[in-house]
């Protein structure tokens, strides 16, 4: 997973690709935020991400960002590229 920087805060993120979705289709990934178990569900054409604001859809090409509390949320690629830069 690559690392990116937003206004001096580094985050982890990965981009959804067709290959990644094919490999993970019909599986789920669990993570903990403030003691609560949350989930990303992977399908053939998208992922559904449980966020602090509710379940959001991430499409192919979108990034999934891990926030400072461990929360995950999708971000459209154009917004991601304007907001984050790769940490070397």
């Amino acid at each position: 997973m690559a690392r990116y920087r937003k206004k001096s805060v580094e985050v982890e993120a990965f981009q959804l690709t067709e290959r990644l979705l094919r490999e993970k289709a019909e599986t789920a990934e669990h993570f903990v935020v403030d003691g609560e178990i949350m989930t990303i569900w992977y399908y053939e054409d998208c992922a559904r991400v449980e966020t602090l604001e509710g379940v959001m859809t991430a499409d192919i090409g979108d990034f999934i960002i891990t926030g400072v509390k461990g929360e995950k949320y999708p971000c459209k690629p154009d917004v991601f590229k304007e907001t984050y830069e790769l940490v070397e």
Side-chain angles (χ1 to χ4, degrees):
M1 188 178 306
R3 296 195 56 84
Y4 294 84
R5 179 179 22 245
K6 176 183 179 182
K7 295 183 182 178
S8 76
V9 174
E10 290 184 17
V11 299
E12 289 186 352
F14 63 94
Q15 191 169 29
L16 283 183
T17 62
E18 288 182 42
R19 179 180 177 195
L20 179 97
L21 288 174
R22 272 195 316 270
E23 291 172 359
K24 292 191 172 203
E26 307 307 322
T27 66
E29 177 182 319
H30 305 286
F31 55 99
V32 178
V33 178
D34 292 334
E36 184 177 338
I37 297 174
M38 302 183 91
T39 306
I40 300 174
W41 297 273
Y42 294 97
Y43 301 98
E44 290 181 17
D45 60 345
C46 70
R48 303 277 291 163
V49 183
E50 193 170 11
T51 73
L52 297 173
E53 291 81 30
V55 177
M56 300 177 73
T57 299
D59 298 310
I60 293 171
D62 290 354
F63 285 82
I64 296 180
I65 299 170
T66 302
V68 296
K69 294 182 179 181
E71 75 279 16
K72 297 188 188 297
Y73 54 93
C75 183
K76 293 295 179 193
D78 57 333
V79 174
F80 186 86
K81 289 176 184 171
E82 288 185 25
T83 308
Y84 297 93
E85 62 187 7
L86 182 62
V87 175
E88 298 295 334

